[in-house]
Amino acid sequence: MPLVPPPFDAELAAALELVEDVTTPGFTLDDLADARQAAELLGLLDVTLDGAFEVEDRAVPGPEGAPDVSLLVCRPTSTAFTPPLPVIYHVHGGGMMTGTNRAGVAEPLGWARELGAVVVSVEYRLAPEHPHPAPVEDVYAGWLWTAGHAEEIGGDPDRMVVAGASAGGGLTAALALLTRDRRGPRPLGQVLMYPMLDDRNDTASGHQMAGLGTWDRGANETGWTALLGDRRGGPEVSPYAAPARAADLSGLPPAFLDVGSAETFRDEVVAYASGIWQAGGAAELHVWPGGFHGFDGLVPEAALSRAARTARVAWLRRLLGGTT
């Protein structure tokens, strides 16, 4: 019996129809060049937010034997915020295959403007040219530099949060696992926005949403195969590549996770939150009814998008205030 997909939120569905000619759920490597070109246009984004941030690009040491890692460092200019400030370490999305450290950074900059925080956004090597472990090792190297130089950039090393959406959410979850297992600098919390967690690509929600929304099971196979090659779905995949593979989710920093009810990643995100709870950890989970993958970025003024942003900021406020 075929799985019936859950309905899209009516406001989101109407917006999705308007862009269906340019936003399709399937993605193949034939689409990669165009997608990367589109991502480069994000370099035109005013990351100062009309002067609210002082912006600096830094090249910092990468993993051993690898190139330097590029970090975008954004510090609030308002005198209302006195250093040391919280630090939001951001990992961009893009299916493991596209994006720069300016991709998706608008939302963490919005949090930082409201909460008074420094944003550091990391650029990592992309698959398929650079398969696992290159992306996550770049993310880890950038994190080590940020933690070690927090005071230099006006940040508080004891109030550092890691955050990412989609593929960036998966890499953020992997970073939290790596910092635990390598005994590296520990984040205060992790924000996982509709994270890409499971290379096996065989959940009920993945099958339900095939051919629908903005990122479906076929696109997901493309991304995971780019990252892992013929290891995708096999028995030897590392949890630092696909965090859903982790057998032990204990000892992780508090997590905020959210996902749409009408998207490929729904079931793997719910399972990951459950795994954290079962291991005795702290997690807040939101499943946004009728949300498709990346709905808040595509339709930012929708009621559901505003609710998602409000929930994320509220969780961060409690975390940074020590009440989460």
Side-chain angles (χ1 to χ4, degrees):
M1 179 177 178
L3 290 168
V4 178
F8 292 127
D9 171 85
E11 189 177 11
L12 298 180
L16 195 58
E17 288 181 9
L18 294 176
V19 297
E20 62 183 358
D21 291 339
V22 294
T23 302
T24 56
F27 185 94
T28 71
L29 289 181
D30 291 338
D31 302 314
L32 185 54
D34 287 343
R36 286 180 173 174
Q37 187 174 15
E40 287 296 323
L41 295 177
L42 292 171
L44 302 176
L45 173 72
D46 176 21
V47 291
T48 74
L49 297 194
D50 291 327
F53 291 91
E54 175 187 82
V55 173
E56 178 184 8
D57 286 289
R58 292 246 186 157
V60 306
E64 185 175 355
D68 285 350
V69 170
S70 176
L71 298 179
L72 175 71
V73 182
C74 305
R75 291 181 289 268
T77 56
S78 172
T79 56
F81 305 124
T82 304
L85 303 174
V87 177
I88 299 167
Y89 183 76
H90 171 252
V91 187
H92 71 79
M96 305 290 182
M97 300 171 287
T98 72
T100 70
N101 55 23
R102 282 159 169 77
V105 76
E107 178 154 8
L109 285 173
W111 305 339
R113 181 165 54 184
E114 185 169 345
L115 300 173
V118 178
V119 173
V120 178
S121 188
V122 60
E123 191 160 319
Y124 52 87
R125 288 169 291 169
L126 299 171
E129 295 89 345
H130 303 285
H132 177 75
V136 74
E137 291 292 352
D138 285 355
V139 169
Y140 186 74
W143 168 252
L144 290 181
W145 185 91
T146 302
H149 295 77
E151 294 180 0
E152 176 186 332
I153 60 174
D156 183 346
D158 295 323
R159 291 190 298 160
M160 299 182 60
V161 178
V162 293
S166 194
L171 287 165
T172 298
L175 174 61
L177 291 168
L178 273 176
T179 60
R180 179 196 67 183
D181 297 344
R182 293 180 178 176
R183 302 183 184 278
R186 177 182 168 86
L188 183 64
Q190 52 180 325
V191 180
L192 310 180
M193 298 174 285
Y194 34 87
M196 182 177 174
L197 299 169
D198 196 343
D199 67 294
R200 290 164 292 196
N201 198 27
D202 200 32
T203 62
S205 58
H207 286 282
Q208 276 183 309
M209 301 309 299
L212 300 172
T214 58
W215 182 266
D216 74 350
R217 189 164 176 262
N220 208 34
E221 181 174 336
T222 299
W224 282 115
T225 302
L227 185 71
L228 297 171
D230 59 10
R231 292 175 291 165
R232 184 192 65 80
E236 302 301 325
V237 172
S238 166
Y240 309 133
R245 298 295 197 121
D248 178 12
L249 294 180
S250 65
L252 295 175
F256 176 99
L257 306 94
D258 68 354
V259 69
S261 69
E263 73 158 289
T264 301
F265 294 155
R266 182 195 67 217
D267 291 350
E268 62 197 68
V269 174
V270 171
Y272 200 74
S274 294
I276 293 173
W277 294 322
Q278 290 163 12
E284 178 171 319
L285 170 67
H286 293 259
V287 180
W288 301 109
F292 54 74
H293 186 67
F295 67 90
D296 55 315
L298 189 61
V299 198
E301 296 309 312
L304 203 68
S305 302
R306 294 196 301 270
R309 287 196 298 274
T310 297
R312 294 163 189 159
V313 171
W315 184 85
L316 283 165
R317 192 183 301 279
R318 294 194 305 274
L319 178 77
L320 296 173
T323 59
T324 293

